[in-house]
Amino acid sequence: MDFIDLKTQYRKYKQDIDQAIQRVLDSSQYVMGREVREVEAALAEFVGVKHCITASSGTDTLTMSMMALDIGEGDEVITSPFTFISTVETISHLRAKPVFVDIDPRTYNLDVDQIESVITPKTKAIMPVSLFGQVPDLQRINEIAAKYDLPVIEDAAQSFGATLHGKRSCGLTTIGSTSFFPAKPLGCYGDGGALFTDDDQIAETLKIIRVHGGLQRDHYIRLGMNARFDTIQAAVILAKLPHFEEELRLRSHIGRHYTEMLKEHCQTPYIPEGYTSNYAIYTIQVPNRDQMAAHLKERGIPAPVYYPVPAYSQPVFKKLGLDKAHFPVTEKVCDEIISLPMHPWLTESDQEFIVESVIEAASVTA
Ligand SMILES: Cc1ncc(COP(=O)(O)O)c(C=O)c1O
């Protein structure tokens, strides 16, 4: 059994994907070719924003978004400590300071009530993470940001396709940043990512940053990076995008089925009214996680832990000197969460087997 089944997905769309890649090979425009422009138009339309700027990874898009907002040394960026390391790593790369607030115990996203208490004159952005496939309360986050005149960057690496009151993740904030890492709900066949914005000036700046700080040959107007998207990866996304809505529907069906079967036995994902999740990572919370993990492993069910260690406790960020006592929810969640296989083609019998195994382990460990 696979945690994420990319082989079945490839088999299903093989003809389209192979042809799309072949077209790029025939054109020999391997970097920033025609498909890159086509996929940017298609993705901007899907999200419902004016601009999409593709890039080399979901990590680079976070860096680019902060560079475009001139975030640098001494600036503070408010974010979540319960996330993949990229979120925090990119802030530190720019010599800015990650400022953490604890998470909501049900959604695992930023606890919005705590944001205002950490805003200082040095705060330059709020960077909420849409963890496991669902956006935080971005309406309230945007209201707080507007009050202090701050931009909001959504780290939407995991939430592409999710919605809040019908509007897509990536299109709800000043800048939305996503990843096309193969394991993401919309993945390419290597590294890739994209930025979304309605702001013309920010879009232009992002395009400049993407190619070494200058759009004209031999003329560089600001510090940039090499963050271009490969044309072959754009072609893969173009071939997959027409199937994405159907995949979201299948994921949602499986996610809701899991929840229906498991909600009496453990804490299941909480999707408030008005929100949809893409169920990028279906995560449950149990008091004795390690026993659950051992039991699932024994039964051949892949069940990784995203994430066992909060960012502030990672050796690289120990120097921030943060006291874990400030983050009781994050501490508890890191000890108790475990994720279950999730992909659009998870068979009913596999789902039943997983559910039975989780219930069995939950009753033993309760
Ligand atoms: C929350 C979050 N942010 C950023 C990233 C970085 O994306 P990439 O792997 O494309 O650099 C990831 C990818 O795993 C992620 O999950």
Side-chain angles (χ1 to χ4, degrees), residues 56-60 62 83-84 86-87 129 131 155 157-158 178-181 184 191-193 307:
S56 40
S57 73
T59 303
D60 289 341
L62 291 173
T83 181
F84 184 60
S86 292
T87 320
V129 181
L131 205 72
D155 181 350
Q158 299 182 8
T178 198
S179 164
F180 298 132
F181 184 75
K184 300 292 189 235
D191 277 306
Y307 298 92

Side-chain angles (χ1 to χ4, degrees), residues 128-147:
V129 181
S130 299
L131 205 72
F132 300 151
Q134 183 188 327
V135 307
D137 187 345
L138 289 176
Q139 276 182 333
R140 277 194 59 214
I141 292 176
N142 284 337
E143 277 164 25
I144 295 168
K147 186 169 155 193

Side-chain angles (χ1 to χ4, degrees), residues 54-302:
T54 51
S56 40
S57 73
T59 303
D60 289 341
T61 51
L62 291 173
T63 305
M64 289 165 69
S65 61
M66 286 182 280
M67 286 171 76
L69 297 170
D70 290 321
I71 291 172
E73 183 136 24
D75 294 336
E76 296 179 356
V77 178
I78 298 169
T79 193
S80 169
F82 186 53
T83 181
F84 184 60
I85 201 70
S86 292
T87 320
V88 186
E89 167 190 57
T90 50
I91 298 170
S92 298
H93 259 304
L94 294 173
R95 302 197 168 277
K97 183 178 162 198
V99 173
F100 298 118
V101 295
D102 207 358
I103 56 170
D104 178 281
R106 291 196 295 177
T107 63
Y108 308 139
N109 282 325
L110 273 188
D111 180 347
V112 180
D113 289 333
Q114 295 190 26
I115 291 176
E116 278 198 84
S117 69
V118 297
I119 292 178
T120 74
K122 290 183 176 171
T123 306
K124 287 285 149 37
I126 305 174
M127 195 193 294
V129 181
S130 299
L131 205 72
F132 300 151
Q134 183 188 327
V135 307
D137 187 345
L138 289 176
Q139 276 182 333
R140 277 194 59 214
I141 292 176
N142 284 337
E143 277 164 25
I144 295 168
K147 186 169 155 193
Y148 294 89
D149 200 18
L150 293 170
V152 180
I153 303 165
E154 182 195 4
D155 181 350
Q158 299 182 8
S159 58
F160 195 74
T163 60
L164 171 58
H165 299 309
K167 251 200 120 182
R168 296 262 187 216
S169 168
C170 286
L172 291 149
T173 52
T174 319
I175 304 178
S177 165
T178 198
S179 164
F180 298 132
F181 184 75
K184 300 292 189 235
L186 183 64
C188 58
Y189 287 173
D191 277 306
L195 290 154
F196 297 84
T197 185
D198 274 323
D199 185 311
D200 298 343
Q201 183 62 48
I202 290 176
E204 190 59 18
T205 308
L206 289 170
K207 284 182 197 162
I208 293 169
I209 291 170
R210 174 170 64 179
V211 279
H212 304 289
L215 292 176
Q216 269 170 274
R217 210 189 159 104
D218 298 324
H219 186 63
Y220 305 102
I221 57 173
R222 59 180 297 147
L223 272 185
M225 49 203 281
N226 173 5
R228 296 168 303 213
F229 195 37
D230 289 347
T231 317
I232 286 180
Q233 303 307 341
V236 172
I237 297 288
L238 271 177
K240 282 189 178 186
L241 192 57
H243 307 283
F244 188 52
E245 295 260 21
E246 173 62 6
E247 289 194 15
L248 285 172
R249 197 188 62 74
L250 293 168
R251 298 181 81 95
S252 170
H253 181 75
I254 296 168
R256 282 185 281 121
H257 176 67
Y258 266 156
T259 298
E260 197 47 45
M261 304 307 284
L262 293 175
K263 65 183 182 204
E264 306 297 335
H265 307 275
C266 56
Q267 183 174 321
T268 49
Y270 170 65
I271 322 278
E273 192 68 31
Y275 292 66
T276 65
S277 174
N278 68 10
Y279 292 101
I281 303 177
Y282 187 95
T283 299
I284 58 170
Q285 190 177 338
V286 287
N288 201 336
R289 189 264 315 285
D290 293 342
Q291 275 173 268
M292 170 76 72
H295 183 79
L296 296 180
K297 187 170 178 205
E298 218 169 84
R299 303 200 108 203
I301 297 170

